């Protein structure tokens, strides 16, 4: 069971400067962290991209935000896209801070700094110095690769490489259709004000499916909701979920790859719910369990 969050490459299209664009992406990373997303996927919306804040910028800032602070300097160095990363809020995942990151059996993200002979590598995982570790037979690593290190003791250092994804969420960049077509996509949800209003009854049904199968939730961009990005008429989405007997559009007629279009702020008091706000409003109820 996995949770994937999909955001468009045009996510920062309305930002006036790099500082504002970076701050917005920081809130997206916070939402992904708080609600334990496994993947944060940037899908292309080239028609909605403006100026310098394109998909490359969005992906780079989100990847930087997902990188533990003790690895950022080595992993990223200095890049133009990262000029304003000082405004990013800390994610404070257990793998990055607090007693859990140093405790017995805790996992940390590391970067392979050197591949040596006899199946050994040196890894920087935020300790005082890079450490030398054996590579498990099931793994093949190369210099610069990010790996997971399980630390059982810091003094003396006792650690090992483990063949599992690093803690936190992974950032990917792929087409929307490919993301929705993954075998582990689970319940595929389009977050849109034109979808079915979220109710206690709807949530009761959804919670069991999500708990069993996981979920993939897609969001739109400022002034470009999912209907605009997908090139479909928003009135068709509204009609499909209107519940009226005379509606001539059914949800299955939309053929967008989603199982459900869902309005998680059915009585919004603002004309616009920003994407980063929609993430919190959507992932919070969908993270409830039966």
């Amino acid at each position: 069971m996995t949770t994937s969050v999909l955001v468009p490459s045009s996510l920062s299209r309305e930002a006036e400067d790099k500082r504002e664009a970076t701050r917005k992406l920081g809130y997206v990373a916070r939402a992904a962290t708080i609600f334990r997303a496994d993947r944060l996927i940037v899908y292309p919306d080239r028609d909605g991209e403006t100026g310098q804040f394109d998909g490359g910028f969005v992906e780079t800032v989100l990847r930087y935000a997902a990188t533990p602070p003790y690895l950022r300097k080595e992993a990223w160095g200095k890049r133009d896209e990262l000029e304003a990363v000082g405004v990013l809020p800390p994610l404070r995942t257990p793998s990055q801070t607090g007693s859990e990151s140093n405790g017995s059996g805790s996992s940390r993200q590391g970067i392979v700094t050197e591949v040596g002979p006899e199946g050994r590598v040196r890894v920087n995982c935020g300790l005082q110095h890079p450490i030398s570790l054996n590579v498990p037979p099931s793994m093949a690593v190369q210099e610069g690769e990010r790996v997971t290190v399980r630390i059982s003791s810091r003094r003396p250092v006792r650690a090992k490489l483990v063949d599992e994804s690093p803690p936190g969420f992974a950032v990917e960049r792929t087409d929307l259709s490919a993301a929705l077509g993954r075998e582990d996509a689970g319940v595929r949800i389009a977050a849109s004000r034109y979808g079915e209003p979220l109710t206690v009854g709807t949530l009761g049904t959804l919670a069991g499916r999500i708990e069993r199968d996981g979920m993939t939730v897609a969001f739109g961009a400022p002034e470009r909701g999912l209907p605009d990005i997908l090139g479909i008429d928003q009135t068709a989405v509204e009609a499909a979920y209107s519940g009226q007997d005379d509606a001539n559009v059914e949800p299955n007629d939309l053929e967008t790859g989603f199982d459900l279009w869902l309005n998680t702020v059915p009585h919004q008091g603002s004309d616009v719910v920003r994407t980063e706000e929609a993430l919190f409003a959507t992932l919070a109820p969908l993270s409830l369990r039966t």
Side-chain angles (χ1 to χ4, degrees):
M1 186 196 75
T2 60
T3 296
S4 297
V5 175
L6 279 55
V7 295
S9 60
S10 56
L11 184 60
S12 297
R13 66 191 307 270
E14 92 293 12
E16 295 182 357
D17 54 37
K18 194 171 295 183
R19 185 181 181 89
E20 181 183 346
T22 301
R23 191 191 307 276
K24 182 184 188 75
L25 295 173
Y27 292 137
V28 170
R30 281 284 295 172
T33 301
I34 290 171
F35 298 107
R36 295 183 176 272
D38 301 286
R39 289 186 292 261
L40 185 51
I41 297 174
V42 181
Y43 67 86
D45 175 30
R46 296 182 179 87
D47 290 341
E49 293 178 6
T50 58
Q52 59 182 321
F53 307 133
D54 58 7
F57 173 85
V58 171
E59 180 188 17
T60 297
V61 174
L62 289 176
R63 284 187 183 275
Y64 180 91
T67 303
Y70 56 81
L71 293 179
R72 287 175 175 173
K73 182 177 181 180
E74 180 168 338
W76 293 101
K78 292 185 177 181
R79 300 181 58 163
D80 290 342
E81 302 98 314
L82 303 177
E83 288 180 356
V85 293
V87 303
L88 288 173
L91 301 187
R92 297 186 63 82
T93 60
S95 63
Q96 296 178 10
T97 187
S99 59
E100 291 184 54
S101 64
N102 301 328
S104 176
S106 64
S107 295
R108 291 168 69 88
Q109 191 177 143
I111 294 179
V112 177
T113 59
E114 181 182 345
V115 177
E118 300 179 355
R120 295 190 69 84
V121 294
R122 292 184 68 80
V123 178
N124 177 2
C125 58
L127 302 179
Q128 188 172 4
H129 303 288
I131 56 178
S132 179
L133 300 171
N134 285 315
V135 179
S138 60
M139 293 180 64
V141 300
Q142 56 187 358
E143 187 173 330
E145 184 175 348
R146 299 189 193 191
V147 293
T148 301
V149 179
R150 183 163 295 154
I151 300 174
S152 56
S153 172
R154 288 175 61 92
R155 296 182 182 179
V157 174
R158 294 191 181 93
K160 63 179 181 180
L161 282 183
V162 291
D163 190 6
E164 58 187 48
S165 299
F169 61 84
V171 178
E172 302 177 11
R173 193 174 176 190
T174 189
D175 290 340
L176 185 60
S177 58
L180 295 176
R182 299 180 71 130
E183 291 185 0
D184 62 350
V187 184
R188 298 165 297 182
I189 300 169
S192 172
R193 68 184 300 174
Y194 304 110
E196 176 182 347
L198 180 62
T199 64
V200 174
T202 304
L203 184 58
T205 302
L206 270 178
R209 294 176 60 193
I210 293 171
E211 188 172 7
R212 182 184 67 246
D213 301 328
M215 64 179 174
T216 295
V217 189
F219 298 86
E223 300 178 351
R224 277 181 66 80
L226 283 169
D228 292 327
I229 292 173
L230 293 172
I232 63 175
D233 189 346
Q234 66 189 39
T235 59
V237 180
E238 288 182 300
Y241 291 100
S242 66
Q244 298 177 6
D245 294 336
D246 59 348
N248 57 6
V249 181
E250 295 293 331
N252 291 339
D253 296 335
L254 297 174
E255 295 183 354
T256 56
F258 292 104
D259 299 312
L260 175 69
W261 286 68
L262 193 64
N263 178 4
T264 55
V265 192
H267 303 293
Q268 64 188 63
S270 171
D271 288 338
V272 176
V273 175
R274 297 172 179 172
T275 304
E276 63 271 27
E277 296 168 337
L279 260 74
F280 283 97
T282 302
L283 296 178
L286 296 182
S287 296
L288 296 175
R289 295 295 177 257
T290 57

